[in-house]
Amino acid sequence: MRIVCQKCAAAYAIDDKLITAKGVRAQCPRCRNLQLVRRDPSAAPAAAPQPQAPVTLTPVSSGAPAANPADDLFGDFGAPPPAAAPARPAPGGGAAPASDLFGDVGALPSPAPASSPPVDPFADLGSPAPSSGRPAVDDPLLDFLGPPPAAPPGTEQAPARPPKAAAAPKPATTGCRVCQKPLTDSFDQALGVCDDCRQPGAAQVPPAPASRPAAAGNADFLPPMTDLGGGAASSGAQPPPGAGSESRGGARVPISTDIIPDMGPEPRSGVRTSVPQLGAEPRSGARGSPSRIGPAQPPAAGRSRGGKGALVAGLVGLVLVGGGVGGYVLYQQHSEDARRNAGPPPAPAIPDAVQAVLPRWKLKFLEITGTSAERLAEGQQQLARDERFAYSEAEESFQQALLLDPTSDAAIAGYVQALALGRGARMDDATFQEARALLTAAESRSGRTAPLLLAHANLLLARSGQPEQARPLAEELLARAELPDAQKAEAHLVLGRTWLSSSRELARSHFDSAQKLSPDIKRLHYYRALAHASGGEYSAALDTLLKRLETHPKDWDSLGLTARIYQEVGEPAEARKLYEARVKAEPGELRALLPLAMLRYQSEGNASGAVRDLRALLKNRARYDEPEVAEVLVHLAAAERTAGSTDAAVKAAEEALQLVEDLPEAHLQLFMVALGRRDAEKARARLPGFRGQLEDGALEKVLEGRLLLLEKKPQEALEAFQAAAKLDSRRLDAQLLAGVAAASAKRRDDAFRALHQALQSDPLRLEPRPVMSAYWLRPRETVEGVEGVILALAEGPEDPSPLLYEGLLRFHQHQFDTAERHLRSVLEVDANNAGALAYRSLIALERRATADARRLGERAAAAGRQQPVAHLALGLALAEARQVEPAKRALRDALALAPTLLSAQARLAQLEAPQGKGAARDTLVKVVGLDPAYLPAKRMLYLLER
């Protein structure tokens, strides 16, 4: 009957007599699919067959029959009718050894001579008898074929028989359905068709001469698969009707296509020039194509030797290939099961630096919508706005992106970039170290990518104040040829910033390169103006910023820098005009109204007016967000405290903390109120709120020292003040407070040593102060409330040193009357005390008593020829009296003793300006470079340009 594979739809034939009542399992030669084949119910009932083993195709062999049907490769096809199988002795006359590699296919036959009769390659090969005492075992290579079908009831498997000396011929049990020739081959019996009738091209092959034997390698292998409809076979064309085939005896027998379908050419063990692959299209025109497929005609000598040996080799190869395929299938199934059992692959480990920030950020953002990619894109858009107010928004967007995807190194790069550009010097140490740790973790995962290097460089510039560390990172970026222009522009911008304080020409060169590569960088105008300002070119800086504001009036960073430069050069009225113009264009704009109120109490000294303006803003607090309202409340607290209303200041600061819990500006105002009230406990509670977040690290040390003094810890306070002086040598207040702390510790020598250093320092520079700051402190507030401690060191009424240094402290507190009284007492004891004379001269200048200042200055210079402050007092008094040349000489004498005396340098340059503006300008630029907060020098430079 005809069978169609249920898996690949291939067709092949099987003899109906081989199908038992319960059916038989058949295996498709193409896809190896096993399926149960039952009898056709419409077919005529066949005679009851004798009990037999499962359908099996047994190769020809002179050995004993197989002892175990499961070992047979083709056991699923059923077995031929029982017959006496010929046996062949093993080489050497003994049984085949159990360790023989090919023992399961029988012993190799001797090559047949050329004159031997044709050999049927599909005769029963049998299997070698097992060695004595060893039972037959299954072949593990054939386990993938599954267990063989069970034998019919009542049948038993015959035991292995010893090999016989000679093979007996296999009797024919049926005849060919086409030519009625008896079938002795088990494969022919299974198909019901002889080999000659299965050859589609036999009619085209001339009969072989009688003297030429048939090739031993022309044995059939497996029935080829055809189309379902009986059309052309996949591996060859159907022969024309009436075509015959050449039988094994040379007779030509016609093939009836009505009886069996075309099976196509069958593979042979003989040599072919081209063997088409199963299921593949053969090459046209080549030998072995479908139209020419037939038995190969090798030379007679080759064909005479290609018989059973080639067949055995083919069967062995088939067994090995089948075993390999089965093993591969089992391996694939095992791998798939292992993957299924193992579950999804483990996520990559999150670095410790990232794990450290995630819990804290999760508390900050309890609900996050969208995906990490969306938050990342939002942060990039906010970062591209290039505005200081947008940086904080970008910072939060990148934090959310990292929370949604902790493996996003792009989110880390964006977060650090927004942090550096937005907070700048206000960033605390903990945040700075945390950002550096995140960058290190990202670089370990993604390498030194351009966004990470840019963020790292901007972070170093914002917090460390060491451009030498950021410069190599920018240079490394510019060395990459594949870097996009936008990132090259950012790298040039970083490089320009690193040269701002040391080489204005290099800074401008890099800014020009950045502008050529990316003209839309808003920060470029800001930093270019900074380059002009650092070089003392304030007019050029203002022109650059004003041109920017003409085209982009809402560039708040440029507007803020312009107003700040106007204040630094002594023109606060111009700054007020800028903000008033913005308020007129946009009424209710907080970014213009709040700076106007700050100008009142920080630059103009009108604290009560600032309180009035700030309270008016709070009447419309519904217009603003909570952080903006908190900022207004902080400035209200600072203005109230400046005006002397400490209770109102505490109320405003505490209300600000209710809106924004971790607001360092509010904690600072509450700390200063507690310090003024001498409440050490409350001051200590507020110190952590702003520690590490001020723009001035030395100032933090000074405030910490003041608290330690209040807590009666003078030794620790002394260490804090000394640390502040080391951080910033311009802080004269730290030197004075170090003397006070030593005096509180009853360390007279240490106190006088520190105070004497303060006496010889620049008397006109108590502390560096920004013109506008969110962390507002009143002028000279750091040295308030420590008076009287130095006087306790006096050893008697004749001891002038405590009086001298107490007068020095009162001078810097601007308590000139008390300072004058103490200094007079010093001169009563020591009439030639140069320090007392010099500071009395400076007090006279503050009171506009020029004549007294000149007289006292001359006495001070005469008494203290080696004291720079004495020559400075004389030079300032002479300059005020318009005695230019004597004033120049006195100032030069002061600089000869103390080259870093900035007050003497600035005043000398101002006196030399009429004779040479270039030299005067160079001197003033040098002063500004040494102390950017020295506002008198900036005022002089601005006036020189005017």
Side-chain angles (χ1 to χ4, degrees):
M1 65 177 294
R2 183 173 170 183
I3 299 173
V4 178
C5 178
Q6 298 174 353
K7 185 174 182 181
C8 66
Y12 55 90
I14 189 171
D15 192 356
D16 294 338
K17 298 178 181 180
L18 300 179
I19 306 177
T20 64
K22 292 185 178 181
V24 65
R25 287 196 303 169
Q27 185 178 38
C28 177
R30 171 184 289 178
C31 65
R32 299 292 182 183
N33 178 49
L34 290 174
Q35 66 187 64
L36 181 64
V37 179
R38 299 183 183 275
R39 290 180 179 174
D40 188 359
S42 62
Q50 299 178 0
Q52 56 182 342
V55 176
T56 307
L57 296 180
T58 307
V60 176
S61 174
S62 57
N68 189 355
D71 293 340
D72 191 356
L73 178 63
F74 304 100
D76 294 326
F77 287 97
R88 181 185 180 94
S99 61
D100 186 7
L101 179 61
F102 305 104
D104 56 340
V105 295
L108 295 176
S110 302
S115 60
S116 62
V119 179
D120 188 355
F122 287 95
D124 190 5
L125 290 175
S127 62
S131 60
S132 59
R134 177 179 177 183
V137 294
D138 292 341
D139 188 354
L141 293 175
L142 304 179
D143 289 344
F144 72 99
L145 295 175
T155 62
E156 295 181 0
Q157 186 169 334
R161 292 174 294 178
K164 298 180 180 180
K170 192 172 185 178
T173 58
T174 183
C176 176
R177 291 183 295 185
V178 179
C179 63
Q180 307 303 323
K181 183 177 67 175
L183 300 178
T184 59
D185 184 73
S186 58
F187 189 83
D188 295 344
Q189 292 172 0
L191 297 179
V193 183
C194 67
D195 178 76
D196 298 329
C197 296
R198 291 200 308 273
Q199 297 298 326
Q204 302 176 7
V205 179
S211 60
R212 183 177 179 180
N218 289 347
D220 295 301
F221 186 56
L222 290 176
M225 292 166 286
T226 61
D227 295 337
L228 293 177
S234 61
S235 61
Q238 184 176 350
S245 70
E246 183 180 0
S247 66
R248 297 184 184 182
R252 301 176 62 84
V253 181
I255 296 179
S256 173
T257 57
D258 298 330
I259 298 176
I260 89 173
D262 173 29
M263 307 305 293
E266 299 180 17
R268 303 287 179 171
S269 59
V271 180
R272 300 191 184 203
T273 58
S274 176
V275 181
Q277 297 291 332
L278 185 65
E281 291 292 338
R283 299 180 182 179
S284 61
R287 292 187 62 184
S289 63
S291 61
R292 298 288 296 172
I293 290 179
Q297 302 293 335
R303 288 186 295 163
S304 65
R305 294 193 300 268
K308 295 185 178 180
L311 174 63
V312 171
L315 290 176
V316 171
L318 180 61
V319 170
L320 295 176
V321 171
V325 172
Y328 177 75
V329 172
L330 291 176
Y331 171 76
Q332 288 291 98
Q333 184 177 2
H334 176 73
S335 301
E336 183 65 27
D337 293 342
R339 286 192 296 269
R340 189 181 301 108
N341 295 334
I350 301 175
D352 295 340
V354 179
Q355 292 181 357
V357 302
L358 293 181
R360 188 174 71 255
W361 291 359
K362 285 180 181 178
L363 295 177
K364 184 179 179 181
F365 307 104
L366 298 179
E367 294 183 3
I368 305 176
T369 59
T371 63
S372 176
E374 293 174 351
R375 300 282 76 76
L376 191 64
E378 180 180 318
Q380 294 291 354
Q381 293 176 358
Q382 293 164 343
L383 204 59
R385 288 167 57 186
D386 238 359
E387 297 177 0
R388 189 169 300 276
F389 293 95
Y391 293 141
S392 59
E393 299 175 1
E395 182 182 329
E396 294 182 354
S397 297
F398 288 123
Q399 286 176 332
Q400 295 175 9
L402 190 62
L403 284 173
L404 294 172
D405 182 11
T407 63
S408 176
D409 293 330
I412 293 178
Y415 165 72
V416 177
Q417 181 85 335
L419 193 70
L421 297 178
R423 298 195 190 183
R426 296 176 57 189
M427 190 189 318
D428 61 281
D429 290 333
T431 304
F432 174 74
Q433 297 299 335
E434 181 180 270
R436 294 198 72 173
L438 288 174
L439 287 174
T440 302
E443 289 179 359
S444 66
R445 293 189 300 191
S446 302
R448 298 172 68 83
T449 61
L452 290 174
L453 289 177
L454 282 173
H456 198 171
N458 281 304
L459 180 68
L460 292 174
L461 285 176
R463 190 68 177 88
S464 67
Q466 297 180 1
E468 293 78 11
Q469 297 181 7
R471 192 174 300 145
L473 300 178
E475 292 173 348
E476 179 182 346
L477 282 174
L478 292 178
R480 300 181 181 182
E482 72 281 1
L483 198 68
D485 287 347
Q487 293 178 346
K488 284 184 180 179
E490 289 286 347
H492 279 293
L493 194 59
V494 169
L495 273 178
R497 292 177 60 191
T498 63
W499 291 111
L500 274 176
S501 59
S502 55
S503 177
R504 295 185 302 276
E505 296 302 324
L506 283 175
R508 293 171 185 172
S509 174
H510 285 293
F511 292 152
D512 292 340
S513 300
Q515 188 172 15
K516 291 178 182 177
L517 291 170
S518 182
D520 297 332
I521 300 180
K522 298 178 181 178
R523 282 174 291 129
L524 182 61
H525 304 277
Y526 180 88
Y527 291 122
R528 191 185 292 278
L530 282 180
H532 289 304
S534 64
E537 300 173 352
Y538 297 108
S539 296
L542 291 172
D543 290 342
T544 302
L545 292 169
L546 292 174
K547 288 179 181 178
R548 170 69 180 172
L549 291 174
E550 288 178 1
T551 57
H552 297 81
K554 293 185 179 182
D555 185 356
W556 295 101
D557 287 340
S558 297
L559 180 61
L561 180 58
T562 307
R564 194 187 82 188
I565 292 176
Y566 273 131
Q567 291 176 265
E568 290 178 346
V569 298
E571 299 288 342
E574 296 295 329
R576 173 168 289 279
K577 290 179 181 178
L578 286 175
Y579 286 117
E580 288 176 347
R582 292 311 311 153
V583 170
K584 184 177 180 181
E586 299 181 63
E589 177 57 58
L590 184 63
R591 286 177 286 185
L593 291 172
L594 185 58
L596 284 173
M598 293 172 64
L599 274 170
R600 287 197 184 278
Y601 80 93
Q602 294 190 13
S603 295
E604 299 171 354
N606 187 0
S608 59
V611 169
R612 184 174 57 254
D613 293 344
L614 290 168
R615 291 194 178 278
L617 286 176
L618 290 175
K619 291 180 180 179
N620 300 319
R621 62 192 305 167
R623 299 180 181 178
Y624 314 122
D625 298 332
E626 288 187 353
E628 295 174 333
V629 175
E631 188 177 6
V632 174
L633 287 169
V634 166
H635 286 290
L636 177 60
E640 293 279 16
R641 194 170 60 82
T642 304
S645 303
T646 55
D647 292 337
V650 170
K651 181 179 179 181
E654 289 179 345
E655 186 178 354
L657 288 175
Q658 291 177 358
L659 298 176
V660 180
E661 182 179 0
D662 298 328
L663 195 61
E665 301 95 316
H667 286 290
L668 175 65
Q669 297 302 323
L670 291 173
F671 175 86
M672 298 307 299
V673 170
L675 199 65
R677 292 176 174 177
R678 297 185 177 275
D679 190 338
E681 183 178 356
K682 289 185 178 180
R684 173 61 66 180
R686 297 301 176 182
L687 180 63
F690 64 85
R691 174 182 285 166
Q693 302 192 45
L694 301 185
E695 297 177 358
D696 190 346
L699 174 60
E700 289 186 18
K701 286 294 183 180
V702 169
L703 296 178
E704 182 181 357
R706 285 297 313 271
L707 175 59
L708 291 170
L709 276 180
L710 187 60
E711 293 174 337
K712 308 300 182 182
K713 299 176 182 179
Q715 182 59 39
E716 297 179 19
L718 175 62
E719 295 174 357
F721 294 135
Q722 289 174 344
K726 289 181 180 179
L727 287 174
D728 191 349
S729 60
R730 300 173 299 172
R731 298 210 71 96
L732 179 58
D733 57 347
Q735 298 175 14
L736 287 171
L737 291 170
V740 172
S744 299
K746 305 302 180 182
R747 297 168 57 176
R748 176 185 171 93
D749 294 340
D750 292 338
F752 289 168
R753 186 181 301 110
L755 292 170
H756 178 74
Q757 184 179 358
L759 183 69
Q760 301 302 323
S761 298
D762 195 334
L764 304 184
R765 296 174 58 251
L766 176 65
E767 56 189 354
R769 292 182 57 83
V771 290
M772 295 275 282
S773 175
Y775 302 97
W776 169 252
L777 296 178
R778 297 194 310 270
R780 301 167 296 279
E781 190 171 8
T782 56
V783 294
E784 290 180 357
V786 294
E787 54 275 359
V789 179
I790 301 175
L791 291 176
L793 297 177
E795 296 178 347
E798 302 296 327
D799 189 0
S801 295
L803 292 171
L804 173 64
Y805 296 131
E806 183 71 17
L808 174 66
L809 177 63
R810 296 301 181 104
F811 171 84
H812 286 293
Q813 289 177 342
H814 277 206
Q815 297 180 13
F816 297 125
D817 293 340
T818 306
E820 176 79 12
R821 185 174 67 253
H822 288 308
L823 294 174
R824 283 179 181 273
S825 300
V826 172
L827 292 175
E828 290 176 0
V829 178
D830 183 5
N832 293 323
N833 191 298
L837 291 170
Y839 274 89
R840 282 196 65 193
S841 174
L842 294 174
I843 292 173
L845 284 175
E846 290 288 338
R847 294 171 172 173
R848 306 293 181 183
T850 306
D852 292 341
R854 176 184 174 186
R855 177 177 54 81
L856 291 169
E858 290 174 348
R859 289 179 58 189
R865 296 183 181 275
Q866 299 300 318
Q867 294 189 14
V869 68
H871 296 281
L872 173 64
L874 176 59
L876 294 176
L878 291 173
E880 194 67 23
R882 300 184 183 276
Q883 297 183 10
V884 178
E885 292 305 323
K888 288 182 182 179
R889 288 194 298 270
L891 293 173
R892 291 192 183 101
D893 291 339
L895 288 174
L897 296 172
T900 59
L901 205 59
L902 299 185
S903 298
Q905 292 186 27
R907 189 58 171 150
L908 179 61
Q910 186 179 20
L911 294 175
E912 292 177 343
Q915 290 78 26
K917 288 186 178 181
R921 188 181 183 282
D922 292 341
T923 302
L924 293 173
V925 169
K926 181 180 178 182
V927 171
V928 173
L930 293 172
D931 184 7
Y934 193 70
L935 302 184
K938 291 188 174 184
R939 173 67 177 173
M940 295 175 191
L941 277 171
Y942 179 72
L943 294 177
L944 280 178
E945 294 178 351
R946 295 288 296 271

